[in-house]
Amino acid sequence: MAVDKNMPILIVDDYKTMLRIIKNLLKQLGFDNVDEATDGGDALTKLKEKPYSLVISDWNMEPMTGYELLKTMRADEQFKAVPFVMITAESKPENVIAAKQAGVNNYIVKPFNADTLKTKLMSVLGPF
Amino acid sequence: MSGTQPMNMQTKLGSSLLKSLIQLREQKGSILIEDVGAILQNVAESLHPAASQADQFLRQEIAKMAQYITDARQEIYSLIPPTEQNGKPVPSAAEQLDVVIKATEEAAGTVMDTAEEMQTIAKKLGNTPEAQKLTELSNRLFDACSFQDLTGQRVTKVMRSFGEIEERIAKLVQLFGAVPSDFGGPRSNGSKPTREDAHLLNGPQMPGEAPDQAAIDALFEGLKN
């Protein structure tokens, strides 16, 4: 099934620069329906207001981290199946293991480039 | 002088000190190190001038302890950064670093504005080599701007360390008792919530230490669901 590039995507990061970078990259890949949140709590609020097809989130945010957001989503029937990609500077093996065990669909370390984002998104959504 | 005399004097002094401390706690509710210093000073001065050599030695040692406490207080107070200079508030180290983050964010914003303009021009040029080159250049600018996120995280880590140090200094100041008149109190960010992933929040690793995406992919793919 072809990937719907109009799917609503939620990107979560406490740095405005990173939100802008990811949004621009998604736009170049053809994904224009992108909303932003500044931490896990803000993301949860938005998730309850609109059905997102993908969440791309940073880890290290306050007051709610991306890891906490992921765990909360996976524990909630409403959000447990929403694909979740972590984009983070946290690159230790224990981070990758913890995220995988919590149900993350893919893991990107910063700094990253457009090709990496595309490859990881395709592995989660299918080819586009 | 018998060997038991110095011991008796030490025991008497010990009892006297303990009694003074208990009385003080009953009066004030808590004992500050400043109070301990004052009691030691009184004890040293109360020893008879014609006391034995052992007592004189003890007096000197107690006086040294009292002086040590006074000196330590001065050193702790000297660590308190000024909150005001020439009538103007002095920003804390954390506040100054916050300015750095905001300044780099602004600079990255300007670069990205420029990159977006290039993308707009590239679109108008259609499917030409020039358009492709412009797009490639604008992507490179966006990639480079991710520095701001990583430097911001490193600076935030340093800011947190400064904040913790400032809190500890404030606690030491309170413990030592007399607070300087211009001391505005701890610049505390409030108590931190305990979180499940606290031990996983390390921020960016040093260049050369962080694994690349390929290593992360290998680990990720190798983990069972």
Side-chain angles (χ1 to χ4, degrees):
Chain A
M1 194 164 56
V3 172
D4 175 14
K5 288 200 173 176
N6 199 37
M7 66 165 69
I9 299 175
L10 181 63
I11 55 177
V12 193
D13 202 301
D14 53 349
Y15 277 88
K16 286 185 211 164
T17 306
M18 191 46 63
L19 285 172
R20 200 167 160 184
I21 289 172
I22 297 173
K23 197 166 184 176
N24 184 275
L25 287 174
L26 288 170
K27 190 175 170 183
Q28 289 188 55
L29 293 172
F31 296 96
D32 252 318
N33 188 0
V34 178
D35 292 333
E36 300 170 7
T38 52
D39 85 294
D42 187 24
L44 274 177
T45 304
K46 292 189 159 78
L47 278 161
K48 286 169 185 165
E49 291 165 357
K50 185 171 166 179
Y52 290 97
S53 302
L54 172 66
V55 171
I56 301 173
S57 176
D58 183 23
W59 186 315
N60 203 332
M61 301 177 288
E62 283 196 14
M64 185 189 252
T65 66
Y67 177 80
E68 288 170 323
L69 170 64
L70 171 63
K71 290 206 81 174
T72 305
M73 284 176 64
R74 292 294 179 253
D76 190 325
E77 278 301 317
Q78 194 182 354
F79 310 125
K80 66 192 255 189
V82 176
F84 191 115
V85 174
M86 195 80 84
I87 297 186
T88 174
E90 303 290 352
S91 56
K92 296 195 169 191
E94 48 264 39
N95 287 81
V96 180
I97 293 165
K100 180 97 184 205
Q101 287 174 345
V104 82
N105 295 93
N106 222 313
Y107 199 104
I108 300 174
V109 286
K110 294 175 181 174
F112 63 98
N113 58 37
D115 285 339
T116 302
L117 181 64
K118 184 175 180 180
T119 306
K120 298 306 171 199
L121 288 185
M122 285 204 295
S123 78
V124 174
L125 302 172
F128 56 81
Chain B
M1 187 179 64
S2 75
T4 57
Q5 281 178 338
M7 190 58 77
N8 284 341
M9 179 53 73
Q10 283 171 27
T11 308
K12 273 189 194 169
L13 274 174
S15 301
S16 169
L17 267 170
L18 189 60
K19 200 174 160 186
S20 301
L21 288 170
I22 291 170
Q23 273 175 356
L24 193 62
R25 193 173 65 181
E26 280 167 3
Q27 280 166 23
K28 289 176 83 174
S30 62
I31 299 169
L32 302 171
I33 293 181
E34 175 188 39
D35 300 322
V36 173
I39 290 169
L40 284 173
Q41 194 65 42
N42 289 340
V43 166
E45 285 165 5
S46 68
L47 282 171
H48 199 279
S52 67
Q53 210 173 8
D55 293 345
Q56 290 289 350
F57 174 76
L58 197 57
R59 178 189 175 152
Q60 281 165 15
E61 289 304 305
I62 291 173
K64 276 185 199 171
M65 281 168 62
Q67 187 58 46
Y68 178 81
I69 288 174
T70 304
D71 291 345
R73 272 174 59 195
Q74 291 308 316
E75 285 199 36
I76 298 288
Y77 293 154
S78 71
L79 291 173
I80 303 168
T83 52
E84 217 179 77
Q85 215 166 50
N86 302 324
K88 291 182 191 166
V90 174
S92 67
E95 284 163 348
Q96 301 220 32
L97 290 172
D98 198 37
V99 169
V100 168
I101 292 178
K102 288 190 166 70
T104 57
E105 187 181 280
E106 237 179 80
T110 303
V111 172
M112 289 189 291
D113 286 342
T114 308
E116 278 173 358
E117 272 187 58
M118 289 165 70
Q119 287 173 345
T120 307
I121 294 170
K123 254 188 179 167
K124 288 179 184 167
L125 292 175
N127 195 10
T128 62
E130 289 80 12
Q132 281 170 12
K133 188 67 185 173
L134 266 179
T135 303
E136 184 198 315
L137 290 172
S138 68
N139 286 343
R140 265 202 258 164
L141 288 173
F142 266 99
D143 282 350
C145 284
S146 61
F147 82 88
Q148 197 273 332
D149 173 72
L150 293 176
T151 52
Q153 288 192 48
R154 290 191 199 280
V155 168
T156 300
K157 211 170 158 178
V158 171
M159 272 167 63
R160 286 201 189 120
S161 300
F162 273 129
E164 284 169 17
I165 290 168
E166 283 177 342
E167 274 185 47
R168 279 183 164 75
I169 290 173
K171 280 179 185 159
L172 276 171
V173 166
Q174 285 169 355
L175 190 64
F176 272 80
V179 177
S181 57
D182 65 347
F183 179 59
R187 298 178 203 269
S188 173
N189 289 325
S191 60
K192 291 183 188 132
T194 48
R195 41 166 45 110
E196 187 186 344
D197 60 343
H199 64 292
L200 296 169
L201 300 175
N202 299 296
Q205 294 185 66
M206 295 304 284
E209 287 176 9
D212 61 9
Q213 186 64 51
I216 297 289
D217 290 345
L219 173 60
F220 191 84
E221 298 306 324
L223 292 167
K224 294 198 173 149
N225 285 321

